[in-house]
Each structure stands twice: as structure tokens, then as C-alpha cells.
Amino acid sequence: MINKINILDKRFELATGAGSDAIHKDPQYSYAVAQLGDESGLTGNGLAFTLGEGNDLVCKAASFYADKIKGNDIEELMADFGQTFKTLSNEQQFRWLGPHKGVVHLGLAAVTNACYDLWAKKRGVPLWKLLIDLTPEQIVNTLDLSYLEDVLTKAEAIELLSAQVDSKKSREGILTTGYAGYDTSVGWFNYDDEKVRENCKKAIDNGFTAMKLKVGSADPQRDIRRANIVREVAGETSKVMLDANQQWTLPQAISICNELKNMNPYWVEEPTHPDDVLAHQTLAKTIAPIKLALGEHVPNRIIFKNYLQTGCVGFAQVDAVRVGGVSEFITISLMAKKYGVPVVPHVGDMGQLHQHLVLFNHIAMGHKALFLEHIPHLKAHFVNPIKIENGVYVTPQEAGSSCDLK
Amino acid sequence: MINKINILDKRFELATGAGSDAIHKDPQYSYAVAQLGDESGLTGNGLAFTLGEGNDLVCKAASFYADKIKGNDIEELMADFGQTFKTLSNEQQFRWLGPHKGVVHLGLAAVTNACYDLWAKKRGVPLWKLLIDLTPEQIVNTLDLSYLEDVLTKAEAIELLSAQVDSKKSREGILTTGYAGYDTSVGWFNYDDEKVRENCKKAIDNGFTAMKLKVGSADPQRDIRRANIVREVAGETSKVMLDANQQWTLPQAISICNELKNMNPYWVEEPTHPDDVLAHQTLAKTIAPIKLALGEHVPNRIIFKNYLQTGCVGFAQVDAVRVGGVSEFITISLMAKKYGVPVVPHVGDMGQLHQHLVLFNHIAMGHKALFLEHIPHLKAHFVNPIKIENGVYVTPQEAGSSCDLK
């Protein structure tokens, strides 16, 4: 029975320039941490990610939700977690503050993730193992599919998973080879050209074959120059992704993306405002074959549904520490699977949690194993930090979701 | 110079059943109040509305933004408020918690509204008077039009307002006749059939010719029965609006709206999830000529833009205590004007602030004067409560935006 609740406000300093992008010049990577303990002595740790200011607001929201699940047995709770998620996320007074977005939804993410962590720890297995061993019905029982009735009913969700059961074993090789990573840290926004060039070389030396550059500068020529530097160092066979962090208007995005076609970006990420579904639709049509990646700031399954319905999503970057936690991450991954869109999470968790989730998406849902973002800045603060060897995530073996902070 | 900042967490008890809808069974009407004072001794009061729980989070967010404008002269601030709004709403660490939605955006609304209130008080005029006397350029300088470049440039916004300048005088008659109200309190969700019937009679006796019923029951037959009661008592010439408060899935909404066609609703409000632009688009096409009203939960100009672009909005219910305050309310009203969509605000402020804004929309922007929602539950708590006579709002004459609480 969950009887100990603790909410922590953890903020970390970054090295100069690290983490910077076109909007966030000076972020402070932070976690609202929900800790749920029961009589076993085990503690589930769940994260929501913020950039510093206001992390305390997310903590207060997490505390509100955590109190509501006190007294529950974790196995009983998770057997029907979809209903719990629905009830919590629609709690009638708090709902006004979203609904299903912003501070309150981040708070819910922390609590949801703590539940999954405790669940895996109680079973003594890594989260990926717990998830791939669930039946399709058991998985779908952890999901809230409300407001998705027009595209994904419960029966369809079960069917999508059931269709993959027989071939699961054939995809388990990834547990041994490891899931590929891509390097986000070659080109933070504030880095100068020389540092970008050096970092690209280092990334290649470290085995990465995919890397990302921050663009979205007030001067488009800076973006184009830097993009060409990365392409030059990375070579033609590496994948180079460009991330504009919402800095372009639609007309600007169309113009700059046309200029960037020459360097053949693997994707263009967050070209404009994350709420502007129709602008992304127009842009995707206009700049094809360049593909769009988005999702870092998309708060819930309903907006992801709209994005997927318009056909503009090249890569779905759902983040389980932005949407309502693991549960909603799986819901969105199922929708993406239905629409044939790969899931390449944004990793507000620094990959700690998502290394489990991409293994599940690949093995149990049949998603293609592309690669997972790698950001090393908080490694020192985790009890079991992710391990990258030769550009590949080494499959975690500890019980839980790898989200315990020191 | 703004040198006194005070943030108040005000929560009010309601009579049993009042304020209830299909989602919010037991709301506690609440305001996060930003108070900004300067050397004149005047205090600007700005509201953001919540349903109780979490009002303290909005207060903390408001406090963050209020601190950033300390030291500014109000006239100088408002001469270029669009830039201030843009800067505040994109403050780099806090932005992660939205962007432009949820708790942080509600906090910004309170501060923005306090600025407009102080501005009008300093000039010694009601807010409607201040706004209609501004030039088109002065109005547009208070707006942040970023991310709207594809539908509303600054030049277009000025042109939209300039085109109305010569005919302004012809619309000022409304200041004498008053702006019509409509009664939201005939049919709160928890009221039984008999109380709905009685309230409809009372509304007619009080001069209202438009009234709203809460639907979205688990039993669609209850909705249909109650809708027919209201139509029967109100007669064929009154307008009857139905409000589902997001309770329907898209397939349910299509089915129930088809059954409701017989009683000829003036609009169907919030049929499904407020983030689901494409579901509203499908629904509007399917149930025409029934029109949709929406906006109570739409947090910003960008999502309103998408809604307007799809052509599904019959009535835009933007609320200046939900979006980022008066500034964003005007921005959205301008877009609605461009798309030919009437603005009928949701009144989280109980009409105190919106009675000024609808006068401005009509006189300076040329919006049709339809009617303004009337909810009387907090009347006793305002220093200058709205006055309704024979179903019509009496034009407020006190300086400011009528948002001072006792």
C-alpha cells in the first residue's frame, strides 16, 4: 500500500552554453520528482522535466495528485491504471488549470512515472522487461483512450498490440545489440562554429552516426553556415537533424527550409509554435521531402492525434516527462504506430526512462528501432546513469525505470 | 512608476448546484488577483479565473510576471505593451511550463489585466472609453501578433481597425441602450427539471431573450428532455444555447446533436475536448446548420487561429481571464473579425471586465453586438458590480475595468 509520499524540487547547474537553444539561452535542467513508497521499503521515483523557474509549481501539482493515490496497492492500481489516469487528469477543480497541459499535466507525469517505477521495482525487473511481458489487454488497461474514439478504440489498441505478439521474440535481439543513440550536444545554440566542428568530430569518433544542430537564429545565414559545417564534418552518410526550437514564423520556416534542402537534413525539428497544427501541415506539404519532427512541447494525446491526422509528422518526439507520463507516452506511441509514424522521443529525462520505453515500442509494438536522443549533462546525478558505448545505449538491467537520483 | 505589487488568492463559496456543469460538479469560483500600484495611490486590479484548487499556483505565476514589470511607468508600458507581453510570455525558463497555456498563462492574464485597469484608472476613464479612443496604431501596439504572420500581419491589423474609424460614432448608441445579456443560470447541470423550468420563467420575466442550458449528461435522454423544457418555456423566438462542457466524444457529439436539431439550439457549446480542433471541424460540417461555440478553454491566439482557419467556429468564446488578458483578447477578436466570426466571451470575470471589451469590439472593431453572458453568483464581492436591467448590461461609468473586489 502506498503510504509514503515525498516530492522533491531538484535543480542542476549546467556548463556554460550547454542546453542552450534559440529560445532557452540559459536553462537550468530541473526535475519535479515524485517519490512513492510502500510497506516493502521500495520507493518509486517519477520525473517531470522543467527548465528551472516554476519547478516548484510542478512539485505542488505533483503533490496534489500523489495524495489522491495514497492507500492504493501498486499492483491493483496498475491493473486498471487507465481509469486512475482518467480520474486524476479530470479532477474537477484542478482540471480548469489545463486541461491536460501545462503545470498540472507535468505534475501528473511525475506521479504517473513514479507508479510505473514502483511497479517494476516491486516485480524486481527493469521497466522494459515488465512492459514487454504484459499482455495486450494488460497494457491497454493502463491507458486512457478517451477523446481518441474517432481514431483508436480500445479494441483497435488491443488489436495493434496483439498483431505484434508472435514476432516479439524476433525483435528481442535489440536487447543485446543495444538501441542506437544520437548526439544532441554537438551544436547547442550558444556554441561557436569552432566548437560545433570539434564536437561533430568527437561525436563521429565516439561512434555516433546521427547528430543534431540547434538553428533558429535571428540571422538565417548563421543557421545555414552551421548546418553546412555539421554536414561537412559528419559526411554524407551520417544523419544530421536541425532543431529550430519554434523560432520561425510559418513564412520564415518555408523560406529557410527551402535554403536548407541542399544539406539534406534528416529532419527539421520544432520549426514553429507547437500549438500550430495547421502551420505544420502547410509547412510539411511545402518543404517535402524534408520531414518534420515535433512533440517536445506537445502536452497530450489529443493534440498528438490532430498532428497525426494532418499527416505532417515525420517523427513523433513524444516525451514521457512532458505528456502525462509513461501511460500517455504508450497511448501516443500506439496512435503513431497506427499512422505509420516513427517515435523518436525527446529526452527531458536524459534518456533514463526512455531507454526502457523505446525498447518496449520496438519489441512489443513493432515500431522501427531508429535511435534515441542522447544528452549527457545530468549523468553524474543519477544512481544508474545510462551507458552509451560506441554510440549505442547499453540495455539497463536494474529493477525499475532508472530514474533514481542521487 | 509601478512600485507596489500585491497578489491575492480569493476563493468564494457558491450556493448549492450553482456553477455546476457536466465536468465541474462542485466548483469554487476563484480569482488570482494581481494588484499593481504606483505613486498616484491608484491600484490596478487584474483577474485570472479558476475553479478553486490550484488558484495558489496561478498566484505564484502572477507574482513572477508582476515582478518583471516593477519600475515601469504605466503609460510608457502600455504605449508598447505588445512587446512587453511577448517578452513576458516567452520568459525563457518559465516558458517551458506552457508555452502560452495553463497556470503560467493564467498568471500572465492577471498581470496584463491589472496593467489595463491601472492604465484606465490613471486616465480617469472606464476601460471601454480608453480603448475606443485609442488610434488603430495605438491599439495594435498593445498586441503581440507573433505566430499569426500567416493570417494577420501588423499592417492588416491596423487596416482592420482603420476601416471602422469613420463609422465608430454610428455604433456608440449602444452606450446608451446597453449591451444585451444572456442568462447562463437557468440550467446548471445539477438543477432538477422543475428548477430549470422555474428559472426559465424567471429569466423571461427579467427581460432575457437568450438563455443557456448545461447538457453533457451520461444519459443523452436527460439532455434532450431538459433542452425541450427550456425551448417550451422560452418559446420559439428566444435563443436557447446548449453547453456540453466537453463531455462528448466525437461520435457521441454527432449522434446527440442530430437528435437536438428539433429544438433548434442557437449554438452547441464545447461539444468535446477543447484541444481537438479537427474533431470540431468534422462535427461542424456534419451537424450544420447547428453552429458551434467554443473558446472557454482555448488558452491562446495560436489555437484560436487554427480553430478559425478550419471554419468550425460559429461563435468565439474567448475569455480575457483565460487567455493572456485584455491584450490577447483583442488580438483574437481581430482575427475573428477577419474571419467573420462573432465574439461572445465566456465570462470567468462574471462580465465585470468583458462588459468593457464587448463595447470596444462593437464600436471600434465593428463586431456585431450580440449578447454577453450573465452569471450573477459573485456580484456581492465586487466594488462596482455589473448592472443588468431588463436583460441589458448598463454601461459602466467608473474609471478602470470594474474588477476591484471588496
Side-chain angles (χ1 to χ4, degrees):
Chain A
M1 200 176 78
I2 295 166
N3 55 16
K4 284 186 288 290
I5 291 173
N6 199 16
I7 309 289
L8 306 175
D9 182 343
K10 304 282 273 185
R11 310 187 190 200
F12 307 99
E13 293 306 326
L14 299 175
T16 308
S20 61
D21 62 44
I23 286 188
H24 312 99
K25 310 290 184 193
D26 192 18
Q28 187 180 29
Y29 281 9
S30 303
Y31 291 120
V33 187
Q35 298 190 312
L36 304 177
D38 70 5
E39 69 289 345
S40 68
L42 293 168
T43 300
N45 282 290
L47 309 179
F49 179 64
T50 82
L51 292 186
E53 194 69 60
N55 200 53
D56 50 325
L57 302 182
V58 179
C59 287
K60 286 197 90 170
S63 176
F64 171 82
Y65 290 118
D67 281 344
K68 308 244 172 239
I69 58 165
K70 213 169 171 172
N72 281 280
D73 172 77
I74 190 66
E75 281 288 348
E76 284 173 25
L77 191 70
M78 300 314 290
D80 188 27
F81 190 74
Q83 190 52 51
T84 299
F85 185 90
K86 185 175 177 177
T87 304
L88 291 180
S89 69
N90 289 313
E91 200 289 331
Q92 56 143 357
Q93 293 190 353
F94 225 44
R95 188 184 190 279
W96 188 268
L97 307 176
H100 313 138
K101 57 181 74 73
V103 166
V104 296
H105 213 52
L106 288 163
L108 181 58
V111 173
T112 296
N113 291 336
C115 289
Y116 280 85
D117 188 55
L118 181 59
W119 193 20
K121 283 175 177 162
K122 284 290 284 267
R123 291 196 178 185
V125 294
L127 181 61
W128 60 261
K129 171 76 176 150
L130 181 151
L131 291 174
I132 67 172
D133 286 347
L134 295 175
T135 65
E137 289 78 6
Q138 287 170 331
I139 293 166
V140 174
N141 284 342
T142 67
L143 311 180
D144 174 13
L145 301 177
S146 54
Y147 294 116
L148 305 182
E149 298 77 6
D150 47 331
V151 308
L152 188 72
T153 62
K154 184 170 180 181
E156 275 182 281
I158 292 173
E159 179 49 35
L160 272 174
L161 289 162
S162 300
Q164 300 296 329
V165 168
D166 288 348
S167 55
K168 263 163 77 171
K169 273 271 168 272
S170 72
R171 288 184 296 275
E172 290 188 1
I174 192 100
L175 298 169
T176 314
T177 58
Y179 202 96
Y182 78 81
D183 192 339
T184 287
S185 300
V186 301
W188 291 113
F189 192 80
N190 292 349
Y191 289 174
D192 64 25
D193 290 6
E194 211 34 59
K195 183 149 187 179
V196 171
R197 195 182 291 275
E198 272 169 39
N199 284 341
C200 287
K201 283 184 196 149
K202 265 191 240 166
I204 302 279
D205 291 347
N206 288 332
F208 289 103
T209 57
M211 56 204 71
K212 193 154 84 183
L213 175 75
K214 295 291 181 180
V215 293
S217 171
D219 170 17
Q221 293 313 311
R222 178 181 190 251
D223 290 349
I224 292 161
R225 186 183 72 237
R226 289 154 58 89
N228 284 322
I229 289 173
V230 178
R231 172 57 73 208
E232 185 198 320
V233 181
E236 291 305 317
T237 56
S238 291
K239 295 183 174 74
V240 177
M241 290 82 86
L242 305 177
D243 185 357
N245 288 92
Q246 317 165 25
Q247 278 306 281
W248 297 325
T249 67
L250 176 57
Q252 285 172 333
I254 291 172
S255 149
I256 297 172
C257 287
N258 278 326
E259 285 204 66
L260 288 167
K261 270 184 184 162
N262 287 338
M263 58 74 62
N264 187 28
Y266 188 65
W267 73 50
V268 171
E269 182 173 337
E270 285 208 306
T272 189
H273 198 285
D275 294 346
D276 202 340
V277 176
L278 298 186
H280 283 82
Q281 183 182 28
T282 300
L283 182 62
K285 278 186 192 159
T286 312
I287 66 168
I290 294 184
K291 287 187 172 177
L292 300 184
L294 63 94
E296 171 177 343
H297 282 79
V298 176
N300 62 47
R301 66 194 181 280
I302 296 130
I303 305 178
F304 265 111
K305 179 181 76 168
N306 274 201
Y307 269 114
L308 290 165
Q309 287 174 305
T310 64
C312 70
V313 187
F315 303 88
Q317 298 182 300
V318 49
D319 187 334
V321 298
R322 156 72 73 186
V323 300
V326 172
S327 170
E328 199 165 28
F329 177 95
I330 295 174
T331 301
I332 293 161
S333 296
L334 274 169
M335 272 198 296
K337 175 68 181 165
K338 175 171 170 173
Y339 282 92
V341 172
V343 173
V344 186
H346 174 263
V347 297
D349 64 319
M350 307 299 122
Q352 296 289 138
L353 172 60
H354 286 103
Q355 62 182 334
H356 296 263
L357 301 180
V358 292
L359 290 171
F360 166 73
N361 272 3
H362 176 58
I363 295 170
M365 217 181 283
H367 266 294
K368 198 173 165 191
L370 273 176
F371 41 43
L372 180 61
E373 182 167 29
H374 172 56
I375 309 179
H377 305 313
L378 301 184
K379 239 175 187 171
H381 303 290
F382 284 98
V383 176
N384 296 295
I386 62 105
K387 281 186 212 125
I388 283 263
E389 285 177 7
N390 205 25
V392 168
Y393 275 87
V394 179
T395 300
Q397 300 300 337
E398 69 274 9
S401 66
S402 312
C403 288
D404 296 356
L405 285 154
K406 284 179 188 164
Chain B
M1 203 176 78
I2 295 165
N3 56 16
K4 283 186 289 291
I5 291 172
N6 200 16
I7 310 288
L8 306 175
D9 182 342
K10 304 282 272 186
R11 310 187 190 198
F12 306 100
E13 293 307 327
L14 300 174
T16 308
S20 61
D21 63 43
I23 287 188
H24 312 99
K25 311 290 183 192
D26 192 19
Q28 187 179 30
Y29 281 10
S30 303
Y31 291 119
V33 187
Q35 298 191 310
L36 305 176
D38 70 6
E39 68 289 345
S40 68
L42 294 168
T43 301
N45 282 290
L47 309 180
F49 179 64
T50 81
L51 293 186
E53 193 70 58
N55 201 52
D56 51 325
L57 302 182
V58 178
C59 287
K60 286 196 90 169
S63 176
F64 171 83
Y65 291 118
D67 280 345
K68 308 247 172 232
I69 58 164
K70 214 170 170 171
N72 281 281
D73 172 77
I74 190 67
E75 281 287 347
E76 283 172 26
L77 190 70
M78 299 315 290
D80 188 26
F81 190 75
Q83 190 53 50
T84 299
F85 185 91
K86 185 174 179 177
T87 304
L88 291 180
S89 69
N90 289 312
E91 200 289 331
Q92 56 142 356
Q93 293 190 355
F94 224 45
R95 189 184 189 280
W96 188 269
L97 306 177
H100 314 138
K101 57 179 74 71
V103 166
V104 296
H105 213 52
L106 288 164
L108 181 58
V111 174
T112 296
N113 292 336
C115 289
Y116 280 85
D117 187 55
L118 181 58
W119 194 20
K121 283 174 177 162
K122 284 289 286 265
R123 291 195 178 186
V125 294
L127 182 61
W128 61 261
K129 171 76 176 152
L130 181 151
L131 292 174
I132 66 173
D133 286 347
L134 294 175
T135 65
E137 289 78 6
Q138 287 170 330
I139 294 167
V140 174
N141 284 342
T142 67
L143 311 180
D144 173 13
L145 301 176
S146 53
Y147 294 115
L148 305 182
E149 298 77 8
D150 46 333
V151 308
L152 188 72
T153 62
K154 184 171 179 179
E156 274 181 283
I158 292 173
E159 179 49 36
L160 271 175
L161 289 162
S162 300
Q164 300 296 330
V165 169
D166 288 348
S167 54
K168 262 163 78 172
K169 274 268 168 271
S170 72
R171 288 184 295 277
E172 290 188 1
I174 192 99
L175 298 169
T176 315
T177 58
Y179 202 95
Y182 78 80
D183 192 340
T184 288
S185 299
V186 301
W188 292 112
F189 192 79
N190 291 350
Y191 288 175
D192 64 23
D193 290 6
E194 212 32 59
K195 184 149 186 177
V196 170
R197 195 180 289 274
E198 271 169 41
N199 283 342
C200 287
K201 283 182 198 153
K202 265 191 240 166
I204 301 280
D205 291 346
N206 287 334
F208 288 104
T209 57
M211 57 204 71
K212 192 156 82 184
L213 175 74
K214 295 290 182 180
V215 292
S217 171
D219 169 17
Q221 293 315 312
R222 178 181 190 251
D223 290 350
I224 292 162
R225 186 183 71 237
R226 289 154 59 89
N228 284 324
I229 289 174
V230 178
R231 172 56 73 207
E232 184 198 321
V233 181
E236 291 305 317
T237 55
S238 290
K239 296 184 173 76
V240 177
M241 289 82 86
L242 304 178
D243 185 356
N245 288 93
Q246 317 167 24
Q247 278 307 282
W248 297 325
T249 66
L250 176 56
Q252 285 173 334
I254 291 173
S255 149
I256 298 173
C257 287
N258 278 327
E259 285 205 66
L260 287 167
K261 270 184 184 162
N262 287 338
M263 57 74 61
N264 187 28
Y266 188 66
W267 73 49
V268 171
E269 182 172 337
E270 286 208 304
T272 190
H273 199 285
D275 294 345
D276 202 340
V277 177
L278 298 187
H280 284 82
Q281 184 182 26
T282 301
L283 182 62
K285 279 185 193 157
T286 311
I287 65 168
I290 294 184
K291 287 188 171 177
L292 300 184
L294 63 94
E296 171 178 345
H297 281 80
V298 176
N300 62 47
R301 66 194 180 280
I302 296 129
I303 304 178
F304 265 110
K305 179 180 76 168
N306 274 200
Y307 268 114
L308 290 165
Q309 286 174 306
T310 64
C312 70
V313 187
F315 302 89
Q317 298 182 300
V318 49
D319 187 334
V321 297
R322 156 72 73 184
V323 300
V326 171
S327 170
E328 200 165 27
F329 176 96
I330 295 175
T331 302
I332 292 161
S333 296
L334 274 168
M335 273 198 297
K337 175 68 182 164
K338 178 173 167 172
Y339 282 92
V341 172
V343 173
V344 185
H346 174 262
V347 297
D349 64 318
M350 307 298 121
Q352 297 290 140
L353 172 60
H354 286 103
Q355 61 181 336
H356 296 262
L357 301 180
V358 291
L359 290 171
F360 166 73
N361 272 3
H362 176 59
I363 295 170
M365 218 181 279
H367 267 293
K368 198 173 164 190
L370 273 178
F371 41 44
L372 180 61
E373 182 168 28
H374 171 56
I375 309 179
H377 305 314
L378 301 184
K379 240 175 186 172
H381 304 290
F382 284 98
V383 175
N384 294 296
I386 62 105
K387 280 186 213 126
I388 283 262
E389 286 178 6
N390 203 27
V392 168
Y393 275 87
V394 179
T395 301
Q397 300 300 336
E398 69 273 9
S401 66
S402 312
C403 288
D404 296 356
L405 285 155
K406 283 178 189 166

